[in-house]
Amino acid sequence: MNKLLITGATTMFTLAGAAHAQSSVALYGLIDAGVTYTNSQISPTTGAGHSNWELKSGPVQYSRWGLRGAEDLGGGLKAIFNLENGFNLNNGQNTSSNRIFNRQAYVGLSSREFGTLTFGRQTDDMVDFVGPLSLTGTQYGGTHFAHPFDIDNLNDSFQINNAVKYQSPEMEGFRLGALYGFSNQAGGFSNNRAYSLGISYVWGALNFGAGFLQLNSDAQTPAQINSNGAVTDTSGSTLQGVFTSNAVPLGALSSRQQTWGAGVNYAFGPAVAGIVYTQTNLTQLFQTGPSTHFQNFEGNLRYALTPAVELSAAYTYTRASSVTGGGNPHWNQVSAMAGYSFSRRTDVYLQGVWQGVSAGSGSPLGVAWINGITAPSSTSNQVEATVGLRHRF
């Protein structure tokens, strides 16, 4: 009898251990903090330009923590989930006031043979397929390296709510992606909906990616914006900050925002060089206003000087059609960064960005504003320098 009980207990523990081995939940995160100097920011009290020293959370990558998990369902099929929160290290608050998992929150199924299908709040295909080829979408540049206003969302300033997303497995070097974000509004199917597509191809040292994103809105006034739709808040600077304090990208204030782009990286020895092009078209800004478009041309280079020292630099030229008159503005931006890794999880870095803008006197875009800086410059030039510490867990 005792032998039978012992055998039964052993079997139960063995089965429990096997079941546990087929499921996993992991806590992960990234903490990024730095001291940033800016030569000119408009003062909220005097309105004039002043230099500023700031403690910044996420100068390169947004600080975050999350939970991800998977359960093996057999036959190469898994149930997966990811819950990710972005936070401000300076004060411990969420970067979005009304969301716990403001960066990502999804559940789905993943198959080695058929790909991955997920449901929830997720990143679009410009972020997934083009962002990694631009220094702004990587650990080698990040927030301050973003194209003006992060108008193409390569730095993941906003995510898509109510999204159904598919990503294919790799097929002879190719990978495909698609996403649709529902408006979730009765009688307003297209009022704040989103959809995107992406494709990538890897062949030896060559890495190519392309993406497309479209946001639609039927709102005629800011009061009619669908607050439960596909895009409702941001975690970084967007062009809307020039015109309104509403925490939504211009796609929700336009009848349509259409962004597409492509990039290519090539690795040779310890170096990786790349070029990226994106274009964002805004149709009927504020629903009844003018249409405009932004084009970004980026060249970038990163070089592993030693296993512990990484250097990176980028030049971006941006041009736009006039939004409210005053000529067609254009930007030049030069960015550079040096990082030293103490380990695979902890590094320090020094980075700097210069931005210059040229626009007519009647344009609201006539002052420089580096992405992630608290306020725009009082002039057509702005410089920032940051020394920071980053830790991953």
Side-chain angles (χ1 to χ4, degrees):
M1 183 65 180
N2 290 338
K3 290 183 179 180
L4 180 61
L5 290 174
I6 294 172
T7 301
T10 303
T11 302
M12 291 177 63
F13 281 116
T14 302
L15 291 175
H20 179 74
Q22 292 173 353
S23 301
S24 65
V25 177
L27 172 69
Y28 69 92
L30 183 151
I31 303 173
D32 183 6
V35 176
T36 297
Y37 166 80
T38 312
N39 70 325
S40 176
Q41 291 186 28
I42 293 177
S43 169
T45 55
T46 68
H50 296 272
S51 60
N52 194 15
W53 290 89
E54 303 175 76
L55 178 64
K56 301 288 290 184
S57 176
V60 178
Q61 294 175 278
Y62 299 125
S63 297
R64 69 199 71 170
W65 69 272
L67 296 168
R68 63 167 64 100
E71 180 188 10
D72 191 345
L73 302 177
L77 184 66
K78 292 182 178 181
I80 60 172
F81 75 88
N82 196 352
L83 304 172
E84 186 172 289
N85 167 268
F87 63 92
N88 187 327
L89 186 67
N90 292 358
N91 55 24
Q93 295 180 346
N94 293 335
T95 53
S96 177
S97 60
N98 60 344
R99 303 180 195 275
I100 298 175
F101 299 110
N102 45 47
R103 288 185 53 81
Q104 295 190 85
Y106 65 78
V107 66
L109 296 172
S110 177
S111 166
R112 291 194 302 264
E113 185 177 359
F114 299 107
T116 301
L117 181 66
T118 48
F119 306 86
R121 179 173 169 89
Q122 303 174 76
T123 55
D124 66 78
D125 290 311
M126 285 293 294
V127 174
D128 293 341
F129 289 87
V130 184
L133 305 176
S134 166
L135 289 190
T136 181
T138 70
Q139 62 181 320
Y140 309 106
T143 304
H144 295 321
F145 280 39
H147 304 156
F149 313 109
D150 195 25
I151 191 68
D152 48 22
N153 201 37
L154 294 191
N155 198 50
D156 196 17
S157 289
F158 62 86
Q159 295 78 38
I160 309 297
N161 301 326
N162 316 323
V164 179
K165 181 176 180 178
Y166 171 76
Q167 289 203 330
S168 75
E170 185 176 324
M171 302 170 291
E172 301 295 330
F174 286 96
R175 192 165 58 89
L176 306 173
L179 173 145
Y180 187 88
F182 289 87
S183 70
N184 277 14
Q185 186 179 67
F189 184 76
S190 62
N191 187 18
N192 195 358
R193 66 172 176 175
Y195 50 91
S196 69
L197 301 168
I199 184 172
S200 66
Y201 177 67
V202 177
W203 182 51
L206 184 71
N207 189 351
F208 167 81
F212 171 82
L213 169 66
Q214 181 159 319
L215 313 177
N216 287 88
S217 176
D218 296 334
Q220 297 299 308
T221 67
Q224 295 174 319
I225 292 174
N226 177 11
S227 60
N228 295 314
V231 181
T232 53
D233 65 354
T234 69
S235 57
S237 299
T238 57
L239 180 58
Q240 59 85 23
V242 177
F243 302 98
T244 174
S245 60
N246 291 335
V248 293
L250 279 181
L253 298 175
S254 307
S255 62
R256 183 179 69 185
Q257 176 175 328
Q258 189 179 76
T259 299
W260 59 274
V264 61
N265 280 178
Y266 186 80
F268 49 99
V272 178
I275 55 173
V276 173
Y277 170 81
T278 67
Q279 178 166 321
T280 296
N281 302 318
L282 298 167
T283 303
Q284 293 183 316
L285 188 60
F286 304 114
Q287 306 299 330
T288 58
S291 299
T292 186
H293 70 268
F294 286 73
Q295 293 175 292
N296 296 290
F297 305 82
E298 177 189 331
N300 58 66
L301 176 69
R302 53 188 175 91
Y303 183 80
L305 187 64
T306 71
V309 179
E310 185 89 31
L311 308 176
S312 57
Y315 167 72
T316 299
Y317 172 73
T318 302
R319 63 188 183 192
S321 60
S322 177
V323 177
T324 59
N328 298 326
H330 62 268
W331 292 257
N332 288 279
Q333 182 169 294
V334 179
S335 312
M337 177 173 166
Y340 176 79
S341 298
F342 294 108
S343 68
R344 294 181 62 183
R345 295 168 52 190
T346 304
D347 67 308
V348 292
Y349 59 84
L350 175 66
Q351 70 163 212
V353 177
W354 170 85
Q355 184 186 101
V357 58
S358 176
S361 58
S363 173
L365 304 179
V367 296
W369 194 356
I370 295 170
N371 190 63
I373 297 302
T374 305
S377 172
S378 61
T379 71
S380 61
N381 293 275
Q382 191 171 58
V383 174
E384 73 83 18
T386 300
V387 57
L389 171 67
R390 184 169 43 183
H391 177 74
R392 305 163 185 84
F393 61 90

